[in-house]
Amino acid sequence: TNNELQLLRNGQKVQSDLGIPSRILSVTEIASLLPQLNLDGLIGGSFCHLDGCADPSALLQGYIREIKQMGGELYTSTEAIGISIEREEVSSVRTTKGYIQTKKVINAAGPYASLVARMTNIELPVLPYKRHVIVVSSIESIKDNMPLVVDVSTGWYMKKEYGNGVILGGTDRNCLPSWDWDSLPNQEAIDRIIETSIKRLPCLEESGIINSYVGLRSMSPDDHAILGEVQDIKGLFYAVGFSGHGFMHAPAVGEIIADLVTEGRTSLMDISPFKLQRFLSKKQVKEGYIF
């Protein structure tokens, strides 16, 4: 729609001001870049040739390696079941394997952030939503250099994995909140992805489903992250509600939260627009790039 295209134009201007060479594409340019695409209903798009992708699993392993090299400890299969507060300050965390004495706790529990916050009687407006993804077999007409494709009107997206098939998802923005991440993928949601995929990229009809899975993403009311220290509890920090942007924002957020924990402040950027208190006022700005 014209409103969605204007949103892309607004984003392109911000990116341009920051030195990112993204550009707005005409329908003809989209056809040249993605000749496999069905152009019905499209009036424009945006693209940056410098965009890339990263492997979340590989990055996680890198974090783990660095933590261990710096003397940190990791507790897997260990659930936090309580946070003790004494004189309005964090004193310890109770886990399924005992207590950890600490003056600093970071709530970065993703979809479970609100449940962790309730351990200290804090209400975080973060809810988990299912996200369905299917992987289909790679076909010759979809090349390895095909960019991530997102249809902002439906939320449908497609990403080519190098030699490992094609990831398809989206079309599920309007589902109800749920912590039930380990259930089998919903067949209705899968059918909707398939139907939308074939409409937008007809050549996918030649492929077959390899796998499907369900994950959770944590959404905030304005689709922006919630960052900072809890106002009335010293030593309790939160980095939650990334609404699908978490992996992209993680390196910067890690530095910001590290500054807050160690120095009590950060000079990297002004995080006041991301503090929890914004939900008590009318200072919220809805994120437009959620699909």
Side-chain angles (χ1 to χ4, degrees):
T1 66
N2 287 319
N3 287 340
E4 290 159 347
L5 183 57
Q6 185 57 50
L7 180 68
L8 295 181
R9 288 193 176 108
N10 295 342
Q12 189 274 332
K13 183 181 184 307
V14 172
Q15 293 157 10
S16 179
D17 291 344
L18 293 171
I20 298 169
S22 62
R23 57 194 178 96
I24 296 298
L25 301 179
S26 67
V27 175
T28 301
E29 289 173 313
I30 294 174
S32 176
L33 183 66
L34 298 168
Q36 309 94 329
L37 213 61
N38 176 3
L39 302 175
D40 287 353
L42 298 184
I43 59 174
S46 66
F47 175 69
C48 178
H49 70 281
L50 294 183
D51 283 355
C53 60
D55 182 342
S57 178
L59 183 66
L60 176 61
Q61 294 306 313
Y63 278 141
I64 291 172
R65 183 180 63 252
E66 291 297 316
I67 288 170
K68 290 181 176 178
Q69 287 180 352
M70 295 174 71
E73 295 182 38
L74 294 167
Y75 295 86
T76 58
S77 303
T78 306
E79 182 181 357
I81 54 179
I83 300 173
S84 297
I85 307 297
E86 294 181 6
R87 300 184 183 88
E88 299 183 340
E89 184 176 0
V90 171
S91 62
S92 67
V93 175
R94 182 161 60 100
T95 78
T96 50
K97 296 182 180 177
Y99 284 87
I100 298 173
Q101 301 299 320
T102 178
K103 294 289 186 180
K104 311 279 187 180
V105 168
I106 303 167
N107 182 351
Y112 302 94
S114 61
L115 302 184
V116 172
R118 286 172 194 165
M119 296 177 186
T120 58
N121 297 317
I122 300 293
E123 288 295 323
L124 278 177
V126 176
L127 290 171
Y129 289 82
K130 279 186 177 183
R131 172 120 280 201
H132 289 79
V133 173
I134 64 174
V135 183
V136 300
S137 56
S138 184
I139 54 179
E140 187 178 350
S141 53
I142 298 181
K143 306 300 182 183
D144 280 344
N145 64 353
M146 189 177 214
L148 168 70
V149 180
V150 180
D151 185 335
V152 293
S153 62
T154 63
W156 172 81
Y157 68 89
M158 185 222 78
K159 180 179 181 294
K160 176 68 171 70
E161 293 286 271
Y162 285 93
N164 296 318
V166 181
I167 294 176
L168 306 172
T171 73
D172 55 3
R173 289 181 298 192
N174 298 320
C175 64
L176 296 174
S178 171
W179 277 277
D180 183 22
W181 65 270
D182 57 351
S183 63
L184 293 173
N186 180 281
Q187 189 60 48
E188 181 182 345
I190 291 176
D191 290 343
R192 187 167 58 244
I193 293 173
I194 293 171
E195 181 182 353
T196 306
S197 300
I198 291 174
K199 281 183 180 177
R200 186 54 72 193
L201 207 64
C203 63
L204 287 173
E205 197 164 19
E206 304 168 22
S207 64
I209 295 178
I210 298 173
N211 197 4
S212 62
Y213 52 93
V214 175
L216 295 179
R217 60 175 176 170
S218 54
M219 309 293 289
S220 71
D222 59 6
D223 297 332
H224 287 290
I226 307 174
L227 308 175
E229 185 173 14
V230 173
Q231 200 166 34
D232 299 320
I233 301 177
K234 186 178 179 181
L236 185 56
F237 303 84
Y238 46 85
V240 300
F242 291 92
S243 305
H245 292 137
F247 178 64
M248 292 177 278
H249 292 173
V253 169
E255 289 194 44
I256 289 168
I257 297 299
D259 282 351
L260 293 180
V261 170
T262 58
E263 306 292 337
R265 58 185 175 81
T266 181
S267 59
L268 292 174
M269 63 175 289
D270 175 18
I271 65 166
S272 56
F274 300 100
K275 289 187 176 180
L276 180 61
Q277 289 82 356
R278 73 182 186 267
F279 297 110
L280 302 176
S281 67
K282 295 182 179 179
K283 295 182 179 180
Q284 301 172 51
V285 177
K286 188 77 171 176
E287 169 59 66
Y289 291 91
I290 296 295
F291 58 90

